[in-house]
Amino acid sequence: MYDSHVHTPLCKHASGAPAEYVAAARERGLAGLVFTDHNPMPAWFDPESRMPEEQLPLYIRLIEQARAEAPEGFYVGLGLEADFHPGTQAYVRQQLEAHPYDYVIGSVHFIGAWPFDHPNFKDEFDRRDRLEIYADYYALVYAATESGLFDAIGHLDLPKKFGHIPPEEAWDLVEGVLGAIKAADLALDVNTAGWRKPVGEVYPSPAILKRAAELGIPVVLGSDAHQPQEVGWRFGDAVEALLEAGYREAWVFKDRKPEAYPLERA
Ligand code: ZN
Ligand code: FE
Ligand code: FE
Ligand code: ZN
């Protein structure tokens, strides 16, 4: 198994050196790790939660060093969790073309100027209609699938983070976006961080995973670790959830190409 979604302290809200993440992954018996730190964005976009552009070469060097120091046969991938935000596509495209990455997750963390997954601003959920939030969010995810920038969509039902689960009427939106993911040949980030958050559920939900399995959408396991202890977080439960949904394989990206491996109970 591979953990394909972990961060580094360069994003200013994570701790632990890359080597510590590698050591934690080996302790949990993982076959590899893909670093996907928050990408640099234009300087006006959320500078507190990411490395500045000038540090991107340092990030690449740190991951290449971790790869060089990892034991033989242990995979260390270089990736990014890239924000999708309307208007920044050209910036991100240039960034992704400038260096060969193994894996790029496209994540929507903002609805307009609202960082809806930031705990400091969760009051906003009480001011907006729940269905409207999901409609706004999935419209952005839809645009992300059409951008051609990414390999996978990050934490597909992220607005549920603090417990604001989608109303039933949001299912049509999910269907639409899963169709777009399939059409664009994208994978899904199956993100166990949801089990560390108030919602207490994996991203995406078991119902979404079941539909994604029917559509044949590849899944990529990730812990979204922001500290070494979170590497491989509840992967046993994730494997159960995926088997239950109908999956028999998971995928890992190398050189931006997906590779399948069998899902096995530990
Ligand atoms: Zn983060
Ligand atoms: Fe994220
Ligand atoms: Fe992340
Ligand atoms: Zn994330």
Side-chain angles (χ1 to χ4, degrees), residues 69-143:
E69 289 169 0
E72 184 79 33
F74 185 89
Y75 172 60
V76 175
L78 170 66
L80 286 171
E81 179 179 14
D83 271 75
F84 177 80
H85 193 74
T88 64
Q89 293 94 323
Y91 177 95
V92 173
R93 175 162 289 114
Q94 244 187 356
Q95 175 177 82
L96 298 179
E97 281 170 1
H99 193 87
Y101 294 94
D102 288 301
Y103 177 51
V104 180
I105 303 171
S107 292
V108 172
H109 299 110
F110 280 72
I111 294 172
W114 176 34
F116 63 86
D117 77 325
H118 196 297
N120 291 0
F121 308 110
K122 67 173 194 285
D123 285 2
E124 186 69 16
F125 278 97
D126 304 327
R127 286 185 216 108
R128 299 194 190 194
D129 177 72
R130 185 84 55 95
L131 182 57
E132 207 170 290
I133 292 170
Y134 277 92
D136 291 346
Y137 171 72
Y138 280 122
L140 291 164
V141 174
Y142 190 88

Side-chain angles (χ1 to χ4, degrees), residues 237-262:
D237 293 330
V239 169
E240 284 305 323
L242 288 172
L243 290 170
E244 182 70 22
Y247 281 100
R248 294 296 174 265
E249 293 176 312
W251 282 258
V252 61
F253 278 77
K254 300 179 179 176
D255 208 10
R256 305 205 64 177
K257 288 187 267 298
E259 255 181 54
Y261 60 92

Side-chain angles (χ1 to χ4, degrees), residues 49-71:
S49 308
R50 62 194 64 253
M51 66 185 98
E53 191 179 271
E54 312 84 76
Q55 281 188 348
L56 189 56
L58 169 64
Y59 171 66
I60 293 169
R61 255 186 292 143
L62 285 171
I63 305 315
E64 282 171 353
Q65 189 187 343
R67 175 184 287 160
E69 289 169 0

Side-chain angles (χ1 to χ4, degrees), residues 189-204:
D189 162 55
V190 173
N191 187 313
T192 62
W195 276 315
R196 303 194 293 273
K197 307 299 179 189
V199 67
E201 184 180 86
V202 66
Y203 308 111

Side-chain angles (χ1 to χ4, degrees), residues 93 96 143-150 184 186 256:
R93 175 162 289 114
L96 298 179
T145 66
E146 298 218 299
S147 71
L149 292 170
F150 313 118
L186 290 167
R256 305 205 64 177

Side-chain angles (χ1 to χ4, degrees), residues 5-11 13-16 18 21 34-38 59 81 224-227:
H5 189 155
V6 305
H7 290 271
T8 82
L10 290 180
C11 70
H13 60 276
S15 59
Y21 285 73
V34 185
F35 287 89
T36 53
D37 210 359
H38 298 284
Y59 171 66
E81 179 179 14
D224 215 340
H226 284 70
Q227 43 185 57

